[in-house]
Amino acid sequence: MSSLACQKGNPQLQRKVHAFLRCDKGVKVSIAEELGRENSGSENATELSAGVKIAQESLKSSFSELQPCVKDPLPEALNIFDIGSKLALKSTNQEQPIQNKGGDVDVSNSNTCRDIVLFQTKDVDHKKSSIQRPNLIVMRGKIINMENQITNVNEYEAIAKQKLPKMVYDFYASGAEDQWTLKENRDAFSRILFRPRILIDVSKVDMTTRILGFNISMPIMIAPTGMQKLAHPQGECAIARAASAANTIMTLSTMSNYSFEEVASTGPGIRFFQLYMFKDRNLVTQLVRRAERAGFKAVVLTADRPFIGRREDDIKNGFRLPPNVTLKNFEGLDFGEKNKAGSSVSQTRRHIDPSLNWKDVKWLQTITSLPIVVKGVLTAEDARIAVQAGVAGIIVSNHGARQLDYVPAPIMVLEEIVKAVEGRIGVFVDGGIRRGTDVYKALALGASSVFIGRAVVFSLAAEGEGGVRKVLKMLRDELQLTMALCGSPSLKHISRHHIFTRTTFPSNL
């Protein structure tokens, strides 16, 4: 950038500089992060942070050098402008901007790009005395179309589908058998409508809450999803950092690709451990003890998987872990077979205990003082038994529609379960949550908080830790807006009266 010397009276350079300086803060941060990766040459958190810092300082220096260049009036019309075109086409010694082709930009030479290039592909309306920000960026040879920037959580799935191998995408995205329940998990939310209240002071909206004694910033937590390194090299560690930054809870899967200790080393944070009950209770004890030592705050016992559901996409794809991806919490542990645990997903699955019952929940309470949350409750009957068993909470869940097909969406049975527990334990819900409006509906039906799973994994695949941070922020912002528009200044002001379904309207009014 320093090679772009300031030349007052040079209209072409003024256009370039003006575009860069008007680039919004979010884009500048993204640029700094990308340059930071180039500077550090690493995804290691410490090295990456140092690289980003260097990049930010470099950008600040560039801003101060370029600012004087925009003092003169700009030309009447701006069609395409760029920054660093000389650097972008360095190897060919061409200084003209890369040309527009039918609304897109010809980046045939983008492999030679060594800097940031910004393009404006729309004319400026000078009658409004404003200049549009660049709507397309070429950075390090990568194209970012600002008109197609991600505006909601659902859009991350399409990006993940493009980026991930089919076997991996299908593993994350698919459900059991006909996948009716997978679709129903989303569709069910569309059958719940709002009854917004008006003329209520919502100038301040408070989303903070307390879960199992821990204060978090919002009632949105991260569900356990296995084998996250398949989505991104940093896997569970990236998600742990994003959750900590958002001041919410992350749940680590038994089937994680990073160990308790590795996740804990990412920094402070409130983390739960999701547990499968294995036939070898000594193995279970070892896992729980390690979670305790690593600072995990609760045990989430998965109760709806005595056997793995029939996931036909995984069968067709022959799903398996690559040789360099292992289940780190099992490395070095012996299942009594020739091979050690962690070398095979199928081997580990075979050792999950199908005889798991409520007596085992009592046993689990004898080996740990951590609160126990039972995941996989779909009926009021089981919810009442959970209360009697003395667990700290339950998660209303159908395992992301990956176990038994043709079961209801969790949001559809949430209310009966909330009524059954009568406020004696925490009730959480997952499944199909993609919007802040979904979160509000769950809270209105009595959930203490929600868990999100696929949204996190898809954003991780698309943009790494940064993607997960964006998803958490998007959902937070959407929930905040929904609360304001429904007349709920805090979580305690969200009630059943704020929603209705086909079975409750209009008879309940």
Side-chain angles (χ1 to χ4, degrees):
M1 293 243 188
S2 59
S3 65
L4 292 174
C6 179
Q7 300 175 32
K8 293 185 68 175
N10 182 337
Q12 185 181 26
L13 184 58
Q14 289 174 30
R15 293 197 298 271
K16 298 174 184 179
V17 172
H18 195 107
F20 188 55
L21 294 176
R22 289 185 64 86
C23 190
D24 68 31
K25 183 179 179 182
V27 173
K28 287 174 182 173
V29 170
S30 296
I31 290 170
E33 289 178 351
E34 183 69 22
L35 292 175
R37 288 184 175 85
E38 298 258 342
N39 285 334
S40 66
S42 170
E43 286 287 346
N44 176 274
T46 303
E47 295 176 11
L48 179 56
S49 177
V52 170
K53 189 172 182 180
I54 293 171
Q56 288 173 334
E57 291 302 319
S58 175
L59 289 171
K60 286 179 184 177
S61 175
S62 297
F63 298 157
S64 61
E65 290 179 23
L66 296 172
Q67 187 70 62
C69 297
V70 295
K71 290 183 177 179
D72 290 344
L74 291 167
E76 282 299 315
L78 296 177
N79 186 30
I80 303 173
F81 55 71
D82 69 300
I83 290 182
S85 59
K86 186 184 295 186
L87 295 173
L89 300 176
K90 187 175 179 181
S91 62
T92 60
N93 293 317
Q94 299 179 46
E95 293 188 20
Q96 70 271 23
I98 300 173
Q99 295 300 308
N100 188 41
K101 281 189 175 181
D104 294 321
V105 173
D106 179 5
V107 290
S108 57
N109 291 312
S110 63
N111 61 317
T112 63
C113 181
R114 305 308 303 163
D115 218 291
I116 303 160
V117 186
L118 297 148
F119 298 91
Q120 177 58 266
T121 59
K122 293 184 178 178
D123 291 339
V124 173
D125 184 357
H126 282 277
K127 293 179 181 180
K128 297 181 179 179
S129 299
S130 64
I131 292 184
Q132 300 172 8
R133 72 177 184 176
N135 64 324
L136 189 142
I137 298 173
V138 177
M139 182 172 65
R140 303 293 184 187
K142 298 177 182 177
I143 304 173
I144 304 173
N145 190 336
M146 298 306 293
E147 291 181 337
N148 294 331
Q149 61 183 313
I150 296 171
T151 56
N152 65 74
V153 168
N154 284 310
E155 293 174 1
Y156 275 111
E157 181 170 358
I159 298 172
K161 187 173 184 178
Q162 290 179 342
K163 294 187 70 171
L164 294 173
K166 184 178 186 301
M167 179 185 75
V168 175
Y169 171 77
D170 287 349
F171 169 71
Y172 290 133
S174 64
E177 297 185 350
D178 298 330
Q179 303 188 99
W180 180 88
T181 295
L182 181 67
K183 183 174 183 294
E184 174 65 5
N185 277 3
R186 284 294 306 130
D187 291 347
F189 281 99
S190 67
R191 297 194 295 273
I192 303 171
L193 304 181
F194 293 118
R195 298 183 65 242
R197 302 298 306 276
I198 61 172
L199 297 179
I200 295 172
D201 182 1
V202 289
S203 56
K204 295 181 180 179
V205 175
D206 181 13
M207 292 179 288
T208 60
T209 188
R210 190 172 178 84
I211 302 297
L212 302 186
F214 300 100
N215 295 321
I216 57 176
S217 65
M218 57 184 171
I220 303 169
M221 306 182 289
I222 296 179
T225 51
M227 294 169 273
Q228 293 168 359
K229 198 173 182 180
L230 294 175
H232 188 274
Q234 286 293 303
E236 292 85 2
C237 290
I239 291 177
R241 289 191 294 268
S244 178
N247 189 24
T248 191
I249 294 168
M250 174 242 193
T251 312
L252 184 71
S253 170
T254 294
M255 303 294 189
S256 62
N257 299 133
Y258 283 91
S259 67
F260 300 113
E261 296 79 10
E262 288 170 321
V263 171
S265 71
T266 62
I270 307 166
R271 300 177 184 114
F272 294 170
F273 165 50
Q274 175 270 325
L275 172 70
Y276 287 116
M277 187 65 74
F278 293 96
K279 297 171 185 177
D280 183 348
R281 295 298 192 264
N282 181 55
L283 173 63
V284 174
T285 301
Q286 290 181 64
L287 292 172
V288 172
R289 293 276 188 269
R290 283 178 61 193
E292 289 175 334
R293 289 194 297 270
F296 285 70
K297 304 302 183 183
V299 175
V300 177
L301 176 65
T302 294
D304 60 355
R305 190 176 142 172
F307 298 98
I308 188 171
R310 184 175 176 81
R311 304 165 193 172
E312 294 178 3
D313 284 349
D314 287 352
I315 295 171
K316 290 177 181 177
N317 294 330
F319 176 78
R320 61 198 179 281
L321 284 181
N324 62 330
V325 178
T326 60
L327 305 179
K328 292 296 287 290
N329 284 323
F330 296 100
E331 286 186 347
L333 299 179
D334 193 345
F335 277 135
E337 297 182 0
K338 184 176 180 180
N339 293 326
K340 298 293 183 182
S343 61
S344 165
V345 175
S346 60
Q347 176 191 346
T348 306
R349 286 172 173 170
R350 286 199 303 272
H351 289 273
I352 294 175
D353 191 354
S355 73
L356 174 65
N357 60 69
W358 289 105
K359 292 180 181 178
D360 296 304
V361 176
K362 286 291 187 183
W363 170 81
L364 188 59
Q365 291 168 332
T366 67
I367 69 165
T368 182
S369 59
L370 295 178
I372 295 170
V373 177
V374 173
K375 179 176 181 288
V377 176
L378 285 175
T379 65
E381 295 90 332
D382 283 335
R384 283 189 281 267
I385 296 173
V387 172
Q388 295 167 3
V391 301
I394 54 177
I395 303 177
V396 182
S397 173
N398 58 27
H399 211 109
R402 293 162 65 80
Q403 283 297 100
L404 179 63
D405 202 9
Y406 297 98
V407 297
I411 194 70
M412 288 289 98
V413 297
L414 174 60
E415 189 169 23
E416 74 168 75
I417 290 171
V418 168
K419 289 178 179 177
V421 304
E422 299 177 328
R424 289 173 287 179
I425 59 175
V427 178
F428 315 109
V429 65
D430 69 13
I433 295 166
R434 300 290 190 277
R435 286 282 191 182
T437 51
D438 299 336
V439 179
Y440 188 100
K441 291 171 184 179
L443 298 175
L445 288 168
S448 304
S449 182
V450 306
F451 283 93
I452 57 172
R454 285 187 174 94
V456 170
V457 172
F458 291 145
S459 63
L460 176 70
E463 295 182 356
E465 178 185 336
V468 180
R469 289 188 183 220
K470 289 176 187 176
V471 156
L472 292 171
K473 185 178 186 305
M474 282 180 188
L475 291 176
R476 176 187 174 84
D477 291 347
E478 289 181 7
L479 174 59
Q480 184 177 39
L481 180 61
T482 305
M483 290 174 65
L485 296 179
C486 285
S488 304
S490 70
L491 299 185
K492 69 181 180 181
H493 290 98
I494 300 175
S495 74
R496 183 64 172 81
H497 297 293
H498 284 99
I499 60 169
F500 66 86
T501 65
R502 290 176 182 174
T503 59
T504 61
F505 180 79
S507 61
N508 68 323
L509 300 181

